[in-house]
Every structure is written in C-alpha cells, then in structure tokens.
Amino acid sequence: MKHTAARTRRAVLRPIPHSHTGPHTALRGPGHGRRRAWARANGAVVRLTTRVQEGLEETRRRPDRGDISTTTVIIWVAAVTGAVLIAGTIAVVIAKYNGQLNGL
C-alpha cells in the first residue's frame, strides 16, 4: 500500500510542461530532449562535413569533371527569358482584350 501511495504522490508532484515543449518532454527530465537534438545536429554536421571533404577530394583527383559550360548556361538563360517574355505578352494581350473576347 505504501508503494501505491508513493506513486500517486509522485504523479501529483510532476512538473507542469511548458506549452512549447509538449507534455512528453517534461516526463523525461531536464535536458534529455536537448541532448537528443544536439546528437541529431552533430550527426548532420558530420555527414555534411564528410560530403564536402569527399567532393574536395574528387575535385583534386579529377579537376575537369564535365561541368556545364558557359555557353550552355547562356543558352538556357536566353530560352527561359524568351519564354517568360512571350507568356507575359500573351497575358497582357488577353487582359487588354478580355472584354471583347468574351463573345467568341
């Protein structure tokens, strides 16, 4: 019976969780969620650092990796700009003559 009374008392004395942490974080004790978040962040940093180092090693090993040439970039920019201008012109013409086109 003492065991049950102690349990009830412990349940009553539980800390009230903050609204931004949620009910589950207060039950684990202080700092537990932060440690897990730091572990995830450290893992992400390690993965990112490893990936950058591998990329630098690849660059040192093969300086010419077949990157996109400047000419290709210029052609793509011109094509996208032309498409945007054509679409804008069509939109302006439709907006201007919208009332007259309704009867067709």
Side-chain angles (χ1 to χ4, degrees):
M1 207 152 190
K2 281 185 174 180
H3 183 68
T4 309
R7 273 180 147 175
T8 307
R9 200 173 310 121
R10 206 172 334 136
V12 171
L13 296 177
R14 238 184 243 168
I16 299 171
H18 298 289
S19 61
H20 64 278
T21 58
H24 57 283
T25 55
L27 304 178
R28 284 185 269 170
H32 185 74
R34 278 188 239 126
R35 282 193 299 265
R36 185 173 292 157
W38 275 109
R40 274 195 308 262
N42 286 338
V45 168
V46 167
R47 283 190 302 274
L48 180 64
T49 305
T50 304
R51 179 66 182 112
V52 168
Q53 287 174 348
E54 289 172 355
L56 290 173
E57 289 172 9
E58 177 77 14
T59 303
R60 273 187 239 115
R61 198 170 36 133
R62 293 187 325 157
D64 182 25
R65 298 175 312 207
D67 290 337
I68 298 175
S69 67
T70 306
T71 308
T72 306
V73 172
I74 292 171
I75 291 170
W76 273 102
V77 169
V80 169
T81 304
V84 168
L85 287 174
I86 291 170
T89 304
I90 291 171
V92 167
V93 169
I94 288 176
K96 184 176 181 181
Y97 296 107
N98 193 23
Q100 296 172 2
L101 294 175
N102 282 338
L104 294 178

